[in-house]
Amino acid sequence: MAQFNWRMPRWFHQMGSPKWFYNFGGLLQPWFTLAAFLLLTCGMVWGLAFAPADYQQGNSFRIMYVHVPAAILSQSVFLSMAIAGAIGLIWKMKIAFMVARSCIAIGATFTLIALVTGAIWGKPTWGAYWVWDARLTSTLVLLFLYAGVMALNQAISERQIAGKATAILAIVGTINIPIIKYSVEWWNTLHQSSSFSLTDKPTMPSEMYLPLLLTVLGSYFLFGLVVLTRTRAQILQTQNGASWLMQHKDISGAK
Amino acid sequence: MGFMLAIIRRDLLLVARQPAEMINPLVFFVLVVALFPLGVSPEASLLSQTAAGVIWVAAMLATLLSLELLFKLDHDDGSLEQLLLAPYPSWCLVLAKVFVHWLVSGLPLILISPLIAMMLFLPSDAVPTLMLSLLLGTPTLSLLGAIGAALVTGVRGGGMLLTLLILPLYVPVIIFGASSVAAAALGMPVDGYMALLGAMFVFALMITPWAAGAALKL
Amino acid sequence: MGFMLAIIRRDLLLVARQPAEMINPLVFFVLVVALFPLGVSPEASLLSQTAAGVIWVAAMLATLLSLELLFKLDHDDGSLEQLLLAPYPSWCLVLAKVFVHWLVSGLPLILISPLIAMMLFLPSDAVPTLMLSLLLGTPTLSLLGAIGAALVTGVRGGGMLLTLLILPLYVPVIIFGASSVAAAALGMPVDGYMALLGAMFVFALMITPWAAGAALKL
Amino acid sequence: MYFESVDALWHMAGHGPYVWSCYGLFIVLLAANVWHARSERKQALKQAQAFIRRNSNYQANTYVDAP
Amino acid sequence: MPFPSPAMKPLLCISDLACERDSRTLYQGLNINVEAGDLWHIKGRNGAGKTTFLRQLAGLHAVDEGEVQLLNNDTRMIYIGHKLGLKEQLTADENLTWLAGLDGLSTQKQRFMALEQVGLRGYEESVVAQLSAGQKRRVALARLHLCKADIWLLDEPFTSIDQQGIADEQEWLNKHTLAGGAVLMTSHQDITLAQVQVLDMGDYARQTCQYLANENGNIT
Amino acid sequence: MPFPSPAMKPLLCISDLACERDSRTLYQGLNINVEAGDLWHIKGRNGAGKTTFLRQLAGLHAVDEGEVQLLNNDTRMIYIGHKLGLKEQLTADENLTWLAGLDGLSTQKQRFMALEQVGLRGYEESVVAQLSAGQKRRVALARLHLCKADIWLLDEPFTSIDQQGIADEQEWLNKHTLAGGAVLMTSHQDITLAQVQVLDMGDYARQTCQYLANENGNIT
Ligand code: HEM
Ligand SMILES: Nc1ncnc2c1ncn2[C@@H]1O[C@H](COP(=O)(O)OP(=O)(O)OP(=O)(O)O)[C@@H](O)[C@H]1O
Ligand SMILES: Nc1ncnc2c1ncn2[C@@H]1O[C@H](COP(=O)(O)OP(=O)(O)OP(=O)(O)O)[C@@H](O)[C@H]1O
Ligand SMILES: [Mg+2]
Ligand SMILES: [Mg+2]
């Protein structure tokens, strides 16, 4: 492993401390919960009931308000996972591995949602649930990447080793994502000029665009919430016996 | 260099002691390609249309399956530990082992591919392209696969896991490999494809020793 | 019976402890099927023509690969010895292990096959036939495969060897399985194929426990 | 509201099943994730409390430090 | 306990047993009767054929020459060899469950008691992969306390076990033989029990120069 | 011979080493200096952490707390653990060839002499799969005579070896330490050499209650 000895700023160093992360995460968590709940609820209700229908696709276009956030998050989460993994590998920071581990399930969920909602959306618009379109295919491959990361993480019983292995795979996978995307796009356009281009964005009026912004932001907060909760749970699991934890109000208070 | 040579010599000796291991990926390749017409249809037109893809997918599966044992056997009997303890960087080890793997599983595939191409009615103009694309592509497959093999080393029943880890990484290679052959069959130029396959090879050569070496040291 | 139950319980527990092993043949199946369009062509017409064969070949490969570990892990850690020393006939052991193998690798394939069929544009009329043929065919594949798995137990790198031994036995299953689906896609009757698949299942059920049991005792 | 009635909102001119199933899936899967994360946390808290209980009558040398 | 009294009850008759591996004769003319209460310590230098002998008795290695005869069909044997037969992903308790299930069922209490006897209290729910070499062997040995077998075939059961553990083990051997069981075991360490009988594989090795040994030309 | 005189030349500094596996502390505060001529016998009950300790020294297990420092970068170590690192399909001689090739080359004569020293004369061309447990371990140990390493890390090197073999082994240890090498080894059997120093892992087990140990939460 690369063993750099870069000087870290103080806050960065602090972040590696389980105690600091646990406490600071505890402060953030309620705000994330609130933000995620409000943004998602408003965005979805707006999108479902108040936004105008698309002149071409009709009401099926409302699927966008869940499909697009899921599709965007599926990629952001993978990237976050790889960055966290890289931080863990370079600075030997255990918290970073925990964060990466917390990303896996939620990222896979977003990818699955993007795929399924996309497929469902395809039926009324394209007349088929599935076509071998570039974007669809690369999302499917992304799902497989997540499945691989998840399986690898599960298959290794020792936590530290599992964390490092997962990090390496996530990094390699991230380097590959643009390559996959590019190759798939290129492959499809060669064989079959796709009649369903997703790329040109309709110039949307703001009452169609704003709900989307809300759900996307809400999804980011939800992602943050899940990562915080999971990482803090892992801190609890691995810090058995640390004095700060044993005297923490979460534990002694809840007793 | 001496270190890498020692590993290469040892691994070739092991293969020589058990030639079944050498011939196996090849036979798997041939069998998959042979089963395909049985399952699908013996029609020449359909087969020649699909030949490029089938050959590339079969080659990939054959490589993938033989990759499982790349580090696993060494891990199980403890010789991987000894190799890692030697005073040489672990990327030397990875490169040496990948080289032998390709020599044993990739090269025979390339040599037999004209025969397979004939069985699937691939236009004979496309055969040189097929061989060239395999020559550029199979080392990439071996290299990328080594990352997965290193990651699953020591995990029970890692074979399937390896598949899962590595197949997504193989997607670009398959696409360009198969497309190049299909293009050649249609008489189109293939320089671009070859350049891409070459670029991917160089790329794999750059990241693999680092990633697989790090994974082995976990 | 108690003996078989003990084995079944243990093997299911092992799977539960490592769910990756359970989901893996499934993922392999899905991946192969997903790579096929990448290699060949995304055109719906071509895909729907080849769908039946591709699904069956992929199902067979997925079964085959997971078979490798059927007895191997037990052999490697010495628990196979203990199982063989128990005062029960070895066919009980074989049946119990094959049952778990099918439950874990065959059944999920069947359940996911409609989705795969959709992705390959198989006509939806043929989907029930596909599922029924897989239901009759995959246990046969598991049973026949067990013979090979028992024979290669204790052989290093036996995975490839297993492939060689077993693929020829799989040919009839593949042919009838794929043909039945193709027939259904064309709206033709499939009773005859199903009868044949059923007969092969019964046949495999009769010879496998004996043959694999004997092979294990070698 | 864009729709005239709740019924129209439900129906969405024939697109109802598609749209509602998508939203349902989104909510269910994400809620499952949040729920699972919380249950993980609860479990870990319980485990930590059990640890304290086990170690409260701890004696220096006889303690078997089992996982 | 399998037998009411430790009288000289024969359990196993080994007559004229020989073994050849790769056309090299390891031992020949091996005759012993294993009786209830016997504790056989099989000795011999490395490669003498101790493991092979035990595996022949267990039925895991073919007997081509001579005979191994169980005098009572109900006699149960347990063989614990170099490979322990434990599933690494399962916990100690789960491993014992299936191992005991091969001969009959066991209750959790019985299993926990067996684990306590081998000094693994507190490790019942530990995954075997996370145990040390000696702890793994202890899990395998716990089976001796769980399944009531008459004959124990133990191949180097002291391997990796610490001093206290070896003393404990000898106590179990003592108890088992006194209760009318029989033990055949190999070890390069000494056994301090009084009832030990030594079987030295060296005594059964082909003694004379090969081509003088055999009259009728079956030099093998 | 690596060192001209067996003076108190420090080779390896272990300072404040600790090890935690799955959030259980195995040992902590381990400080020893290994000097030329030292023979450390690492003792401890099963599961004390002896294997883990040796693997940390060899660099096969991560050192998260404390430090293991080689004072001279040229110092070579050999680690022989539970798994021997032999290829079963290769002969004893071929195995030694590649193992020796990791540090440098060896001639066939050297390899044959090493095999003779471990009592495997006549087995040079035998495939390792066909050797007995003790013979396999002897092949692995033959490497000690072939590669000139300063520090030997041996995990239970007496396992499966017969009495004569153990006596021989101790002779090698003696020679190596007298010549200025160092040995760290685990064993549950006693070593009869005079220069033995005992390192009891039990002395470094966590003594106090866990949650009193650390103020700032950096337990790991
Ligand atoms: C299984 C099927 C589908 C999958 C896997 C899929 C996947 C994706 C992905 C990966 C994105 C990119 C998000 C980003 O990074 O900006 C996306 C965006 C989008 N998708 Fe889909 N999609 C599918 C079906 C559909 C269908 C049927 C439609 C509508 C006809 C659709 C409309 C959109 C729109 C409007 C966007 C946002 C455009 C943009 O930001 O570039 N998708 N989808
Ligand atoms: N892979 C693992 N994961 C987690 N914990 C482990 C693992 N391997 C061993 N341990 C734990 O570490 C401790 C020390 O193990 P180690 O193998 O170092 O012991 P040892 O002193 O060598 O014992 P033995 O005398 O039995 O060989 C044991 O209590 C064991 O439970
Ligand atoms: N698989 C095999 N094929 C052929 N010969 C073998 C095989 N296994 C062992 N042998 C030979 O049989 C002889 C006896 O082996 P065995 O394992 O029974 O010895 P052992 O007395 O148990 O020795 P140890 O004390 O080293 O365990 C050895 O000389 C060995 O070379
Ligand atoms: Mg032996
Ligand atoms: Mg140990």
Side-chain angles (χ1 to χ4, degrees):
Chain A
M1 205 57 39
Q3 274 164 22
F4 304 102
N5 228 340
W6 295 340
R7 200 167 292 274
M8 306 178 233
R10 185 178 157 71
W11 61 270
F12 195 74
H13 187 72
Q14 265 182 339
M15 230 165 70
S17 143
K19 182 183 177 185
W20 184 87
F21 192 98
Y22 188 88
N23 289 331
F24 189 65
L27 285 182
L28 287 185
Q29 210 167 309
W31 299 106
F32 272 54
T33 317
L34 193 69
F37 182 78
L38 283 182
L39 287 170
L40 281 177
T41 315
C42 292
M44 284 166 72
V45 169
W46 191 349
L48 261 181
F50 297 97
D54 187 68
Y55 71 100
Q56 253 182 340
Q57 302 184 3
N59 285 312
S60 71
F61 127 96
R62 296 174 195 285
I63 294 176
M64 179 176 80
Y65 301 118
V66 292
H67 170 78
V68 174
I72 290 176
L73 263 286
S74 66
Q75 294 159 55
S76 317
V77 176
F78 202 96
L79 190 65
S80 321
M81 182 168 74
I83 291 175
I87 290 175
L89 284 180
I90 294 171
W91 285 285
K92 294 189 162 181
M93 198 186 277
K94 283 184 191 173
I95 293 285
F97 291 129
M98 293 182 196
V99 169
R101 184 192 169 101
S102 310
C103 288
I104 304 172
I106 183 75
T109 307
F110 276 123
T111 316
L112 188 69
I113 293 174
L115 263 178
V116 176
T117 55
I120 293 175
W121 196 358
K123 190 67 179 170
T125 35
W126 305 337
Y129 285 110
W130 185 263
V131 292
W132 289 96
D133 170 83
R135 219 163 202 179
L136 277 59
T137 310
S138 57
T139 308
L140 185 64
V141 175
L142 182 63
L143 185 69
F144 291 148
L145 269 171
Y146 271 114
V149 174
M150 199 186 286
L152 183 67
N153 198 297
Q154 232 178 36
I156 302 176
S157 58
E158 238 170 307
R159 251 171 211 275
Q160 279 112 302
I161 297 178
K164 288 178 195 167
T166 309
I168 292 175
L169 184 64
I171 294 169
V172 173
T174 309
I175 301 173
N176 241 290
I177 283 179
I179 301 180
I180 293 170
K181 241 184 158 154
Y182 167 67
S183 64
V184 168
E185 258 163 42
W186 178 86
W187 154 74
N188 195 344
T189 43
L190 179 89
H191 283 277
Q192 175 203 27
S193 53
S194 174
S195 40
F196 328 104
S197 170
L198 288 173
T199 34
D200 32 14
K201 197 180 289 180
T203 40
M204 278 187 272
S206 65
E207 65 263 43
M208 283 167 104
Y209 182 72
L210 276 178
L212 182 61
L213 199 66
L214 292 187
T215 52
V216 169
L217 275 179
S219 299
Y220 270 108
F221 276 108
L222 190 92
F223 162 54
L225 170 67
V226 169
V227 168
L228 280 181
T229 317
R230 281 230 155 94
T231 309
R232 292 177 76 226
Q234 287 177 66
I235 292 176
L236 284 175
Q237 284 165 6
T238 52
Q239 295 285 298
N240 252 355
S243 54
W244 68 268
L245 189 56
M246 295 300 124
Q247 288 145 13
H248 200 278
K249 63 177 176 358
D250 279 9
I251 293 171
S252 42
K255 197 167 172 180
Chain B
M1 252 344 252
F3 175 64
M4 286 170 74
L5 277 180
I7 300 174
I8 291 173
R9 253 229 311 279
R10 183 196 73 155
D11 281 8
L12 287 176
L13 195 61
L14 282 171
V15 171
R17 209 45 60 85
Q18 215 166 37
E21 231 170 83
M22 165 135 120
I23 210 164
N24 269 336
L26 192 63
V27 174
F28 184 83
F29 178 64
V30 175
L31 281 174
V32 169
V33 173
L35 278 185
F36 182 73
L38 287 183
V40 174
S41 130
E43 268 172 62
S45 69
L46 192 68
L47 285 179
S48 80
Q49 242 180 309
T50 52
V54 172
I55 291 176
W56 258 96
V57 171
M60 181 215 70
L61 290 177
T63 311
L64 189 67
L65 297 178
S66 55
L67 270 170
E68 185 193 343
L69 300 178
L70 189 61
F71 300 112
K72 187 157 178 35
L73 295 181
D74 281 357
H75 173 265
D76 287 352
D77 61 20
S79 53
L80 185 62
E81 279 172 5
Q82 300 298 344
L83 292 171
L84 288 173
L85 285 177
Y88 298 91
S90 56
W91 59 260
C92 292
L93 166 63
V94 172
L95 279 186
K97 291 206 65 98
V98 168
F99 175 70
V100 175
H101 177 264
W102 178 77
L103 213 62
V104 165
S105 80
L107 194 57
L109 289 196
I110 301 174
L111 297 180
I112 210 175
S113 60
L115 194 70
I116 298 291
M118 196 193 70
M119 284 169 63
L120 291 182
F121 307 106
L122 187 77
S124 56
D125 303 345
V127 170
T129 308
L130 175 68
M131 291 181 74
L132 189 62
S133 72
L134 285 173
L135 188 66
L136 282 169
T138 48
T140 316
L141 295 181
S142 292
L143 281 166
L144 289 176
I147 301 176
L151 283 169
V152 303
T153 301
V155 175
R156 302 223 117 202
M160 279 287 170
L161 187 56
L162 174 66
T163 312
L164 185 53
L165 299 186
I166 288 304
L167 267 186
L169 303 186
Y170 277 5
V171 166
V173 186
I174 299 270
I175 289 182
F176 292 125
S179 307
S180 71
V181 181
L186 297 175
M188 298 193 304
V190 294
D191 306 1
Y193 298 101
M194 292 304 150
L196 281 166
L197 282 173
M200 282 192 295
F201 172 61
V202 173
F203 175 69
L205 200 58
M206 269 166 15
I207 61 162
T208 296
W210 169 78
L216 281 179
K217 282 209 177 154
L218 292 184
Chain C
M1 254 341 256
F3 175 64
M4 285 171 71
L5 278 180
I7 299 175
I8 291 174
R9 254 231 308 281
R10 182 196 74 156
D11 281 7
L12 286 177
L13 195 61
L14 282 172
V15 171
R17 207 46 58 82
Q18 213 165 39
E21 231 169 86
M22 165 134 122
I23 212 165
N24 270 337
L26 191 64
V27 174
F28 182 82
F29 178 64
V30 176
L31 283 173
V32 170
V33 173
L35 279 188
F36 182 73
L38 289 184
V40 174
S41 132
E43 269 173 61
S45 68
L46 193 69
L47 286 178
S48 81
Q49 245 181 309
T50 51
V54 172
I55 291 177
W56 258 96
V57 171
M60 183 215 70
L61 290 177
T63 311
L64 190 67
L65 296 178
S66 57
L67 270 170
E68 186 191 342
L69 300 178
L70 189 59
F71 300 112
K72 186 156 177 36
L73 295 181
D74 283 356
H75 170 82
D76 287 353
D77 60 20
S79 54
L80 187 61
E81 282 174 8
Q82 299 297 345
L83 292 170
L84 288 173
L85 284 176
Y88 298 90
S90 56
W91 60 259
C92 291
L93 167 63
V94 173
L95 274 187
K97 291 208 65 102
V98 168
F99 174 70
V100 175
H101 177 263
W102 178 77
L103 211 63
V104 165
S105 79
L107 194 58
L109 289 197
I110 301 176
L111 296 180
I112 210 175
S113 60
L115 195 69
I116 298 292
M118 188 197 80
M119 287 174 71
L120 291 183
F121 308 108
L122 187 76
S124 56
D125 303 343
V127 170
T129 308
L130 175 69
M131 292 183 75
L132 189 63
S133 72
L134 284 173
L135 189 65
L136 283 170
T138 49
T140 316
L141 295 181
S142 291
L143 282 165
L144 290 177
I147 302 177
L151 281 171
V152 302
T153 301
V155 177
R156 301 222 117 197
M160 280 289 170
L161 190 56
L162 173 67
T163 314
L164 288 187
L165 293 180
I166 288 305
L167 265 187
L169 298 183
Y170 278 5
V171 167
V173 186
I174 300 264
I175 290 184
F176 292 121
S179 310
S180 71
V181 181
L186 297 176
M188 297 194 303
V190 293
D191 306 2
Y193 295 103
M194 291 303 150
L196 278 167
L197 283 173
M200 283 192 293
F201 172 59
V202 173
F203 174 69
L205 198 58
M206 269 167 13
I207 60 161
T208 295
W210 168 80
L216 280 180
K217 283 207 172 157
L218 289 185
Chain D
M1 196 158 82
Y2 174 78
F3 298 96
E4 293 94 60
S5 65
V6 176
D7 208 39
L9 173 66
W10 182 245
H11 237 277
M12 290 198 176
H15 287 162
Y18 300 116
V19 176
W20 285 104
S21 60
C22 284
Y23 277 70
L25 187 86
F26 187 82
I27 293 169
V28 167
L29 284 185
L30 289 181
N33 256 280
V34 174
W35 176 80
H36 188 253
R38 283 188 174 226
S39 73
E40 232 170 38
R41 172 174 163 75
K42 270 187 203 131
Q43 189 122 25
L45 275 175
K46 250 189 225 151
Q47 194 188 312
Q49 282 156 14
F51 183 91
I52 292 191
R53 236 174 291 124
R54 253 189 295 140
N55 286 20
S56 60
N57 50 359
Y58 166 87
Q59 289 136 18
N61 290 318
T62 56
Y63 174 62
V64 184
D65 200 359
Chain E
M1 291 301 123
F3 291 92
S5 87
M8 301 293 263
K9 195 166 174 185
L11 290 173
L12 187 68
C13 258
I14 300 160
S15 39
D16 226 19
L17 191 67
C19 177
E20 185 187 306
R21 291 200 89 151
D22 279 337
S23 67
R24 223 155 42 81
T25 302
L26 290 178
Y27 46 82
Q28 60 186 12
L30 208 163
N31 287 292
I32 59 168
N33 284 333
V34 178
E35 286 161 11
D38 276 3
L39 169 53
W40 286 94
H41 182 185
I42 303 166
K43 286 190 173 176
R45 49 168 189 72
N46 288 139
K50 304 178 292 298
T51 298
T52 315
F53 174 58
L54 279 187
R55 290 177 69 88
Q56 281 193 322
L57 299 191
L60 290 168
H61 192 92
V63 176
D64 291 326
E65 216 182 312
E67 208 173 0
V68 174
Q69 207 180 358
L70 271 183
L71 295 182
N72 185 337
N73 265 338
D74 296 342
T75 310
R76 281 282 293 135
M77 293 200 261
I78 281 189
Y79 168 79
I80 299 180
H82 287 300
K83 287 187 198 166
L84 300 175
L86 301 174
K87 284 284 163 196
E88 300 249 306
Q89 303 103 297
L90 298 186
T91 65
D93 182 45
E94 285 162 350
N95 266 300
L96 282 185
T97 309
W98 77 263
L99 281 168
L102 300 183
D103 320 73
L105 294 177
S106 61
T107 65
Q108 193 186 47
K109 198 172 153 219
Q110 286 173 326
R111 294 192 299 268
F112 274 44
M113 268 176 53
L115 283 170
E116 182 161 355
Q117 275 188 283
V118 297
L120 287 181
R121 180 181 208 161
Y123 286 91
E124 296 90 355
E125 307 294 337
S126 298
V127 174
V128 167
Q130 300 186 352
L131 297 180
S132 76
Q135 288 169 332
K136 282 178 195 165
R137 191 163 285 265
R138 282 161 185 260
V139 176
L141 290 172
R143 198 176 152 210
L144 296 176
H145 300 288
L146 206 54
C147 313
K148 291 280 163 275
D150 311 297
I151 305 181
W152 292 357
L153 304 173
L154 308 177
D155 199 359
E156 307 201 20
F158 298 157
T159 300
S160 309
I161 302 277
D162 57 24
Q163 305 249 312
Q164 178 59 42
I166 294 180
D168 293 348
E169 249 185 83
Q170 302 206 27
E171 197 36 54
W172 315 334
L173 299 178
N174 191 22
K175 259 203 200 146
H176 181 65
T177 48
L178 290 182
V183 178
L184 288 102
M185 61 174 285
T186 68
S187 176
H188 296 296
Q189 298 183 52
D190 287 327
I191 304 176
T192 53
L193 297 174
Q195 67 264 50
V196 169
Q197 290 170 283
V198 171
L199 172 71
D200 192 333
M201 297 308 285
D203 299 344
Y204 302 95
R206 170 163 255 167
Q207 241 114 33
T208 43
C209 189
Q210 281 203 331
Y211 48 92
L212 294 180
N214 202 309
E215 301 288 351
N216 35 15
N218 303 330
I219 280 222
T220 64
Chain F
M1 288 302 124
F3 289 93
S5 86
M8 302 293 266
K9 193 164 175 190
L11 291 174
L12 188 70
C13 258
I14 300 161
S15 40
D16 227 19
L17 191 68
C19 177
E20 183 188 312
R21 295 202 85 152
D22 278 338
S23 67
R24 220 155 47 81
T25 302
L26 289 179
Y27 46 84
Q28 60 184 14
L30 208 163
N31 287 293
I32 59 170
N33 285 333
V34 178
E35 285 161 11
D38 276 4
L39 168 54
W40 286 94
H41 181 182
I42 303 165
K43 287 190 172 177
R45 49 168 188 71
N46 288 138
K50 303 179 292 299
T51 298
T52 314
F53 175 57
L54 280 188
R55 291 176 69 87
Q56 280 194 324
L57 298 192
L60 290 168
H61 193 93
V63 176
D64 290 327
E65 210 184 315
E67 208 173 357
V68 173
Q69 209 180 352
L70 271 184
L71 295 183
N72 185 338
N73 266 338
D74 296 341
T75 310
R76 281 282 294 135
M77 295 201 259
I78 282 191
Y79 168 79
I80 300 181
H82 289 299
K83 288 187 199 166
L84 301 175
L86 301 175
K87 284 285 163 194
E88 300 250 308
Q89 304 102 294
L90 299 186
T91 64
D93 181 44
E94 285 163 349
N95 266 300
L96 282 186
T97 309
W98 77 261
L99 281 169
L102 300 183
D103 319 75
L105 295 178
S106 61
T107 64
Q108 196 188 43
K109 195 168 153 224
Q110 287 173 325
R111 294 193 299 270
F112 274 43
M113 267 176 51
L115 283 169
E116 183 162 351
Q117 274 190 284
V118 297
L120 286 182
R121 179 177 211 164
Y123 286 92
E124 295 90 356
E125 305 294 336
S126 297
V127 174
V128 167
Q130 299 185 352
L131 297 181
S132 77
Q135 289 168 332
K136 281 178 195 164
R137 191 163 285 266
R138 282 160 184 261
V139 177
L141 291 172
R143 195 174 154 213
L144 297 177
H145 300 290
L146 207 52
C147 314
K148 290 282 163 273
D150 312 295
I151 305 181
W152 293 356
L153 304 172
L154 308 176
D155 198 0
E156 308 201 17
F158 299 157
T159 300
S160 308
I161 301 277
D162 57 25
Q163 304 249 313
Q164 178 58 43
I166 294 180
D168 292 348
E169 249 185 81
Q170 302 206 25
E171 196 38 52
W172 314 335
L173 299 178
N174 192 23
K175 257 200 202 149
H176 180 65
T177 48
L178 290 184
V183 178
L184 290 105
M185 60 174 288
T186 69
S187 175
H188 296 296
Q189 298 182 52
D190 287 327
I191 304 176
T192 53
L193 298 174
Q195 68 264 49
V196 170
Q197 290 170 285
V198 170
L199 173 72
D200 192 333
M201 298 305 288
D203 298 345
Y204 301 95
R206 167 161 254 162
Q207 242 108 38
T208 46
C209 191
Q210 283 204 327
Y211 52 90
L212 296 181
N214 201 312
E215 302 288 359
N216 39 11
N218 301 329
I219 276 236
T220 50

